[in-house]
Amino acid sequence: MTIECLGIVGVGLIGGSVARAARASGSCATIIGWDANLNASLRARELGVIDHVADDLPAMARQCDFIVLASPLGAMESIMQQLAGSLRTDAVLTDVGSAKCSVIEAARRVFGILPAGFVPGHPIAGTERSGVDAAFAELFQRRCVILTPLETTAPWATAKARALWESMGAEVMEMEAEHHDEVLAATSHLPHVLAFALVSTLAQMNEHSEIFRYAAGGFRDFTRIASSDPVMWRDICLANGAAVLSVLNRYEQELADMADAVRRGDGSSLESMFRRAKEARDNHVVF
C-alpha cells in the first residue's frame, strides 16, 4: 500500500510519530502537516518529520488521500468543519483519539452523512512526553491499534487504515465504539485520573517536598503518567465522561471497602482484597 499524500493534523508526539513511522515504513510519498500552533508545524518540518506545512486545512484536504487527526479531542469538531468542504471522496479520514463515541458524534454533526472513508481509530501507545521533539518512529511497534469502523465506512477505507498501522508494526483490532470507550475508561483513563489525583493530593500536603524526595520506585512508576499533557487528559475525561464516571464509582467503592477494613483493623479482609488484585494482575495483565 502506498499513500500519495499523508496529512497529519496535530504534529505532536502521536501525530509526529505517525509521520516518522509512515516515512520509515515507506508507506507514503509525501507528508503534509498542520498544527494550531504554527511553530509546531515549522519545527516538524525543520526536524524532517513532515515535508510541507499546510497553508490551511481546506488546502490539506484537497491534496491528501489519507488524513490523520491527531489533535486534542476538544478540537476535533472544529477541525472537521474546516476539512469538510474540501475532503476528497477517495480519502481516508481517521483519528487517534482516546474516546471514540465523541469523535463519531462530532463527525455526524459536521458531515451529516458520514464520508465512506471515515475510519475512527485509536493507537494505544504514548509516553508522558509531548510535542514533536518527542516523536519517534518505533512508538507503535508491537502496540495495539483499535479501529471502530461504522456501517457507513467503506471496506477499502478500513483496509487502508489497517494497512498503514500494520506497516508501522502495530497489531490492529476492530470493535464497536461504545465498547472501546468502556474498555479504555477502565484501562487507561482511570489510571491517569488516579495518578493525577495522587500527585495533586500529595502536592497540597505541608510536607510535600519531603514526600517527593523520599518517594520509592513504585511511586515514580505509578505517577509517571501524571506528567502527561493536562489539556489532552482534560478533553479525554470530558469526551468519555459517562464511562469514566462509571469506572470511577466502582473504584471509589473498592477504596471505601479498603478504608473500612483498615478502620476496623480487619487484616483478613485487606489480605483478601490484596490477594484478589494480585491474582488478577498475575493471571491477566501482559505487557
Side-chain angles (χ1 to χ4, degrees), residues 186-266:
T187 59
S188 176
H189 307 167
L190 176 64
H192 278 81
V193 169
L194 300 184
F196 282 122
L198 175 58
V199 175
S200 178
T201 298
L202 298 182
Q204 296 176 68
M205 295 174 63
N206 291 334
E207 308 85 359
H208 71 272
S209 60
E210 186 174 51
I211 289 171
F212 292 135
R213 183 181 305 125
Y214 295 115
F219 176 85
R220 289 192 297 272
D221 291 342
F222 177 66
T223 60
R224 173 187 59 80
I225 53 178
S227 292
S228 301
D229 183 356
V231 172
M232 179 181 77
W233 282 99
R234 175 203 67 193
D235 285 357
I236 289 170
C237 287
L238 293 176
N240 200 25
V244 170
L245 282 175
S246 176
V247 72
L248 263 177
N249 289 336
R250 297 183 67 169
Y251 179 82
E252 286 174 349
Q253 184 57 58
E254 186 77 7
L255 200 59
D257 291 344
M258 289 186 179
D260 183 60
V262 172
R263 191 177 300 111
R264 292 182 289 105
D266 187 350

Side-chain angles (χ1 to χ4, degrees), residues 12-193:
L13 168 66
I14 302 298
S17 294
V18 169
R20 284 196 180 280
R23 188 185 302 282
S25 69
S27 298
C28 60
T30 303
I31 304 176
I32 298 177
W34 182 93
D35 197 283
N37 179 353
L38 177 59
N39 288 333
S41 301
L42 295 175
R43 177 60 175 163
R45 185 176 63 186
E46 177 186 347
L47 292 171
V49 173
I50 61 176
D51 298 308
H52 308 288
V53 175
D55 293 332
D56 52 40
L57 289 171
M60 171 182 280
R62 288 189 291 271
Q63 296 177 72
C64 296
D65 59 319
F66 201 117
I67 297 176
V68 178
L69 306 182
S71 293
L73 285 169
M76 287 289 184
E77 186 164 351
S78 172
I79 287 168
M80 289 180 187
Q81 287 172 342
Q82 296 176 68
L83 293 170
S86 305
L87 195 66
R88 290 168 42 171
T89 57
D90 66 339
V92 173
L93 177 64
T94 190
D95 73 295
V96 300
S98 186
K100 297 275 56 79
C101 288
S102 66
V103 173
I104 293 167
E105 290 164 4
R108 286 199 171 107
R109 287 192 294 270
V110 170
F111 295 105
I113 299 175
L114 294 174
F118 179 50
V119 190
H122 175 212
I124 304 178
T127 74
E128 72 277 16
R129 301 175 64 197
S130 59
V132 69
D133 285 271
F136 59 103
E138 299 77 22
L139 180 61
F140 310 108
Q141 291 181 4
R142 295 177 298 280
R143 298 291 185 174
C144 179
V145 172
I146 299 174
L147 300 180
T148 62
L150 307 166
E151 65 281 357
T152 53
T153 303
W156 60 262
T158 302
K160 199 167 183 179
R162 174 182 287 274
L164 176 62
W165 288 114
E166 288 179 344
S167 75
M168 301 178 190
E171 176 187 358
V172 181
M173 303 174 61
E174 294 182 26
M175 67 175 63
E176 296 291 329
E178 293 81 2
H179 185 52
H180 166 278
D181 287 1
E182 292 171 358
V183 170
L184 269 294
T187 59
S188 176
H189 307 167
L190 176 64
H192 278 81
V193 169

